[in-house]
Amino acid sequence: MSISTRLGLAIASGVPVLVLVSMGPVAGLTGAPSVLVWAVSAVLGLFMALAFADLAASLPHLTGGIGILAGSVLARRSRVLAVTAQWSYWFGWSPALAINGVLVGSYLHDVFLPRSPSWTVVLLAMAVLGGSVTVNHYGVRHGARLHVALLFCVVVPVALLVGAALVRGQFHPGRLVPFAPPGGWLSGHALIAVTGGLFLAGWSAYGSELALSYGTEYRRGVRDAVKTLVIMAVTSVIAYSLLPVILVGVVGVPRIQADPAVALAPLAQQVAGGMADLVVGVLVLALLLGVNMVMIASSRTLYQLARDGNAWRFLGKVNRHGVPGNALRFDLAVNTVLLLAVFALNRGRTSNVPLALLAASNVGYILSISLALIAAWLNYRQAGRAGQFLRIRPGFMRVALAIAVLNLVLLLTAGFAWGWPNLLLGAAVLIAVIVVFTRGTRRLPVEPVPRTQPMCIAWGVPRHAESAESP
């Protein structure tokens, strides 16, 4: 079961929507300069996308995302580094299911069940995740079609919301002044705020690479995957440069800092007035886009991990629809436990759950991104790639290596901004994940699949085989 480039773009369209998750916390930390932080992060993401496109073009038979691609390259040098890159990538994205689920639950709770207990938010989040698993159980094409419907319901109202704010004069450039982080640009606090903002913004702004997570399921394989990757990277630069400016210019930093987790609620109330509930509904649909996108990508990562012998074998099985159903259910179970654990640790305060989860999971994501950039650079230096359909210029690859170093610096200093307990928790959980989930694993044998059966997403189809079978 393959998908077209348009459906691939529909799935990846959840990437710009990820700005809704961390836009509030980043603005609360850095103040008005958060708009610059987001623009810089998105540009860095575009340069990284070029490096990942080159890496994917050299490994067209792999699915599961940049963590899997990086692991394939690093395994030639160190299995420990390879497994770390792969599981860090999964740990960096999978908790996004819980994060977006909690945000959806929080919005629904505030609008429809304002007097109900806080644990209602967790139940709503679990229901959202269960619904996504059910839809994607029947194939990536069904998940992509759901994305198309959600995308239409989100883009039009959001465009009207932004347009209304500008036309009605509710955007005030004065709210961007003073354009300096707390304490001024030359203070130590400013350095902590900016580096912390770049650390958290990277989790969203680098997200265009998710387009490679289901690369072998495109009709033209990695060619369509790379095309989708580049389009989404450019779109992210536009979205992450525009939306934060609108948020700060309309709402102002003080209102964002009052409750960063739901920073878009004041924007909806201020611009839409009596239509605020309708706008919140649009935001919920936007977050559902993110849930579905991450569910598809994360399950493919688990699938390929199992096929490579770096995860439990049952995760490497596909159902009759050609979907890694066990991996989908595994993601659901892990995020349910994660929701309950963080809810209990925060003593029922659901407003703290998204930020705590995001800071912890970003340890894995930034580490995997950095290792993937290093792997792309190492792979680029190898000979014997004359037949590759894409090869970027050496200068871009050097920039990617410099970005890898920058990301590692951001990771090592993030605790000053987001709290060392959150970062240490993320590191501890990541180590536990690698130790527990790789215990007793071995590579699954590759067996031929009859032409009448759904194509296994891990194998793909060689380009010469496609042309030979074409009528």
Side-chain angles (χ1 to χ4, degrees):
M1 182 179 292
S2 60
I3 58 173
S4 64
T5 304
R6 286 181 295 179
L7 287 181
L9 285 169
I11 297 174
S13 63
V15 171
V17 174
L18 291 175
V19 71
L20 304 180
V21 178
S22 46
M23 185 163 54
V26 172
L29 177 67
T30 61
S34 64
V35 301
L36 181 61
V37 168
W38 280 110
V40 170
S41 292
V43 172
L44 292 176
L46 176 58
F47 279 107
M48 290 190 298
L50 297 176
F52 295 147
D54 184 272
L55 178 62
S58 69
L59 300 167
H61 61 288
L62 290 179
T63 193
I66 61 166
I68 301 298
L69 297 172
S72 177
V73 175
L74 296 174
R76 305 164 195 166
R77 293 165 173 81
S78 169
R79 184 175 186 271
V80 173
L81 281 179
V83 171
T84 299
Q86 292 172 332
W87 277 105
S88 295
Y89 184 70
W90 174 82
F91 179 66
W93 276 123
S94 185
L97 300 172
I99 294 169
N100 280 26
V102 166
L103 289 175
V104 170
S106 297
Y107 281 127
L108 294 177
H109 175 272
D110 293 344
V111 173
F112 299 108
L113 304 167
R115 297 183 180 181
S116 61
S118 58
W119 51 260
T120 308
V121 174
V122 177
L123 291 181
L124 291 171
M126 292 167 58
V128 167
L129 300 185
S132 180
V133 168
T134 301
V135 171
N136 285 289
H137 172 83
Y138 295 99
V140 66
R141 193 174 294 174
H142 292 282
R145 287 169 178 167
L146 173 63
H147 257 69
V148 172
L150 291 174
L151 186 63
F152 179 80
C153 294
V154 169
V155 170
V156 174
V158 168
L160 293 175
L161 177 67
V162 172
L166 298 176
V167 171
R168 295 166 61 180
Q170 294 179 314
F171 177 82
H172 300 289
R175 293 196 173 101
L176 297 169
V177 179
F179 195 77
W185 284 106
L186 301 180
S187 67
H189 192 281
L191 181 61
I192 292 174
V194 172
T195 56
L198 287 171
F199 170 78
L200 201 65
W203 180 82
S204 304
Y206 300 166
S208 59
E209 46 80 17
L210 274 171
L212 300 177
S213 297
Y214 39 94
T216 60
E217 294 179 80
Y218 290 95
R219 287 176 184 168
R220 298 197 306 155
V222 72
R223 290 177 180 269
D224 284 349
V226 167
K227 180 180 179 181
T228 303
L229 166 67
V230 174
I231 292 175
M232 291 315 305
V234 173
T235 303
S236 294
V237 171
I238 298 172
Y240 289 122
S241 299
L242 177 62
L243 290 178
V245 173
I246 297 295
L247 177 67
V248 175
V250 174
V251 176
V253 173
R255 291 188 67 187
I256 296 173
Q257 292 174 332
D259 192 355
V262 289
L264 288 177
L267 175 65
Q269 295 166 0
Q270 186 161 328
V271 175
M275 300 281 290
D277 289 350
L278 177 61
V279 176
V280 169
V282 173
L283 298 178
V284 168
L285 292 176
L287 291 168
L288 291 176
L289 270 175
V291 168
N292 208 50
M293 176 189 68
V294 174
M295 185 71 75
I296 293 172
S298 180
S299 61
R300 270 65 181 174
T301 300
L302 287 171
Y303 174 86
Q304 189 67 54
L305 277 167
R307 303 298 304 186
D308 292 342
N310 293 324
W312 293 335
R313 294 186 65 187
F314 80 95
L315 296 174
K317 305 292 184 179
V318 293
N319 61 21
R320 61 190 180 91
H321 303 287
V323 172
N326 290 339
L328 285 171
R329 290 185 285 273
F330 181 81
D331 263 327
L332 174 61
V334 168
N335 279 274
T336 299
V337 173
L338 197 59
L339 278 172
L340 296 174
V342 176
F343 180 75
L345 290 173
N346 283 275
R347 299 179 180 179
R349 295 190 300 272
T350 55
S351 60
N352 295 334
V353 171
L355 186 56
L357 283 174
L358 183 54
S361 66
N362 209 30
V363 172
Y365 185 63
I366 295 299
L367 178 59
S368 68
I369 282 285
S370 302
L371 291 175
L373 289 170
I374 294 172
W377 179 72
L378 292 172
N379 187 68
Y380 187 83
R381 298 178 62 195
Q382 293 179 353
R385 302 171 60 204
Q388 185 175 314
F389 77 89
L390 172 69
R391 187 171 173 85
I392 68 172
R393 293 183 177 275
F396 286 114
M397 195 57 72
R398 296 189 193 102
V399 171
L401 187 61
I403 295 174
V405 175
L406 172 62
N407 283 331
L408 289 174
V409 172
L410 296 177
L411 174 60
L412 294 174
T413 59
F416 292 109
W418 303 110
W420 290 110
N422 287 331
L423 274 294
L424 293 175
L425 175 63
V429 172
L430 176 59
I431 294 172
V433 162
I434 294 174
V435 172
V436 173
F437 294 161
T438 59
R439 189 177 181 85
T441 58
R442 63 186 178 90
R443 188 179 183 88
L444 286 175
V446 177
E447 301 175 355
V449 178
R451 184 65 178 171
T452 56
Q453 297 296 321
M455 185 184 70
C456 177
I457 59 176
W459 300 330
V461 179
R463 296 295 302 156
H464 63 83
E466 277 189 64
S467 58
E469 294 178 3
S470 298

